[in-house]
Amino acid sequence: MSTGDLLKPTDAGLYCEVGDFFVDPRRPVPRAVVTHAHADHACWGCGRYLCSAEGQGVLQIRMGREAVVDSLPYGEAVEINGVRVSLHPAGHILGSAQVRLEHRGEVWVASGDYKVEPDATCTPFEPVACHVFVTESTFGLPIYRWPSQQSVFDEINAWWRANREAGKASLLLGYALGKSQRLLSGLDPSIGPIYTHGAVEKLNRAYREAGVALPPTAYAGTAAKGKSWGGAMIVAPPSAQGTPWARKFGPASTGIASGWMTIRGTRRRKALDRGFVLSDHVDWPSLLGSIAATGASRVLVTHGYTAVVVRYLREQGLDAEILATRYEGEGDAQDRAEVDAMETEAEAVEEAS
């Protein structure tokens, strides 16, 4: 990193010194510009937050009602101490944004997490021209190539039908914020009733309030004792696997949706019945295509397979280097943090019912 860089890694996260604000800080800071509301990109306790207008509802839930959350429509700009800041769709989850910074003619874009295939739950990714592009690399290996979203939804619905015919419940795992709502959007509600974990249902409300169409769902904790769950679909975060909460559904087949299901053996190690390859991050071709679309002459690569991606980009003649951060991409730690934030409230409601 050079002294003139618009963003620099610090112990508190990526810092814009000339604007005196952080992008996705990992510790409380006076002013935070946030790409999206996942726990590894949005931390509690900051003095003021700026996010996209589309993502304000879910960020407010995550940070608490007392948090000061400002928002910007996609594409509109605000000046912060002489730095022109605007937010642009990242296609990762509801309200996810790339952060564009402009100062004295130089333009930087920090991607946060992103994917390029559109889905029904958020505004699609848009490439943003820049001089310096800060990109994630969660799935930055050539083996990661996603099947079409519709083909995955078809697989999930076929699995659900087969479980229904066998008298089993279907327990489908995906992280609570974003993945679960994307899964719900692809389910066929004519197959059977759909229930959710409390951490998922809480965020479903925020999605519906933002205008995202989801099929009818019910919080699993409000069901009567002794209920038969055969034929039902239950959507829950991965951390629910193997818990007493999950065992109450009786005979059930358990599946998970994740980009990591590309690797044969991952599903078996997690003792799951089915693995569905569905990720909210770019795969290898989309990563390279997105970098090229920015026209950036310099690329800084964060969380994921950073060394592989940097080496490949250098072989293509780009100025590329690793930018060390502590973002986590698509992983169990992220899910654990998301659920910890909401599980206590959900369990309290369940015990009271």
Side-chain angles (χ1 to χ4, degrees):
M1 304 297 291
S2 68
T3 55
D5 286 344
L6 270 181
L7 288 173
K8 299 174 183 176
T10 71
D11 289 343
L14 289 178
Y15 181 53
C16 179
E17 185 173 11
V18 65
D20 192 22
F21 60 85
F22 287 79
V23 174
D24 290 353
R26 52 184 295 270
R27 295 179 182 172
V29 297
R31 184 188 289 268
V33 179
V34 175
T35 61
H36 64 288
H38 278 150
D40 58 331
H41 290 261
C43 77
W44 286 266
C46 292
R48 200 170 199 96
Y49 299 87
L50 176 66
C51 68
S52 74
E54 183 179 279
Q56 187 169 15
V58 290
L59 186 64
Q60 194 78 60
I61 288 174
R62 292 246 15 263
M63 299 298 103
R65 281 178 291 184
E66 297 76 20
V68 179
V69 179
D70 303 316
S71 67
L72 271 180
Y74 287 130
E76 290 191 11
V78 62
E79 294 274 342
I80 304 178
N81 298 324
V83 178
R84 185 176 175 84
V85 179
S86 57
L87 305 173
H88 304 265
H92 176 60
I93 65 169
L94 181 66
S96 58
Q98 305 168 81
V99 179
R100 181 185 184 276
L101 310 175
E102 182 175 356
H103 181 66
R104 295 181 176 173
E106 182 164 280
V107 176
W108 285 48
V109 171
S111 72
D113 293 335
Y114 67 104
K115 78 172 192 319
V116 299
E117 184 181 25
D119 74 72
T121 63
C122 61
T123 301
F125 172 87
E126 293 178 4
V128 181
C130 58
H131 300 103
V132 181
F133 186 47
V134 181
T135 181
E136 65 141 317
S137 59
T138 303
F139 292 101
L141 287 179
I143 59 170
Y144 292 110
R145 297 168 188 267
W146 309 146
S148 74
Q149 174 181 253
Q150 188 56 55
S151 69
V152 177
F153 287 159
D154 290 345
E155 285 181 33
I156 292 172
N157 285 318
W159 167 70
W160 183 11
R161 288 191 191 92
N163 292 335
R164 182 192 63 186
E165 297 308 312
K168 296 180 180 177
S170 299
L171 179 60
L172 182 59
L173 307 176
Y175 54 78
L177 171 55
K179 179 66 69 61
S180 287
Q181 290 73 32
R182 187 179 175 196
L183 290 169
L184 288 167
S185 75
L187 293 178
D188 178 358
S190 71
I191 299 173
I194 303 172
Y195 295 89
T196 57
H197 186 278
V200 174
E201 192 63 25
K202 183 174 184 177
L203 291 161
N204 288 350
R205 289 196 293 272
Y207 269 65
R208 289 182 175 115
E209 289 171 1
V212 177
L214 298 177
T217 59
Y219 171 41
T222 59
K225 289 185 178 178
K227 170 183 169 54
S228 172
W229 296 91
M233 168 66 79
I234 303 104
V235 177
S239 54
Q241 185 190 7
T243 63
W245 182 88
R247 289 194 288 272
K248 75 179 182 179
F249 302 118
S253 180
T254 303
I256 190 169
S258 170
W260 301 118
M261 292 300 108
T262 302
I263 304 297
R264 187 172 295 177
T266 303
R267 175 181 59 80
R268 291 195 300 274
R269 288 196 297 275
K270 290 179 175 292
L272 296 161
D273 299 308
R274 286 293 300 269
F276 302 101
V277 180
L278 187 75
S279 176
D280 299 323
H281 297 258
V282 279
D283 62 3
W284 176 256
S286 298
L287 172 66
L288 300 182
S290 300
I291 292 170
T294 67
S297 57
R298 184 182 176 204
V299 181
L300 305 179
V301 184
T302 71
H303 58 298
Y305 292 99
T306 54
V308 173
V309 175
V310 165
R311 185 176 66 183
Y312 181 85
L313 294 176
R314 287 177 175 173
E315 289 173 353
Q316 308 310 307
L318 281 175
D319 177 5
E321 59 187 290
I322 295 172
L323 179 61
T325 65
R326 296 193 180 184
Y327 308 133
E328 296 169 353
E330 184 167 303
D332 292 343
Q334 179 194 67
D335 173 69
R336 185 66 256 168
E338 299 295 336
V339 174
D340 281 349
M342 293 173 281
E343 203 166 51
T344 302
E345 179 181 342
E347 288 177 348
V349 172
E350 187 163 353
E351 288 174 0
S353 64

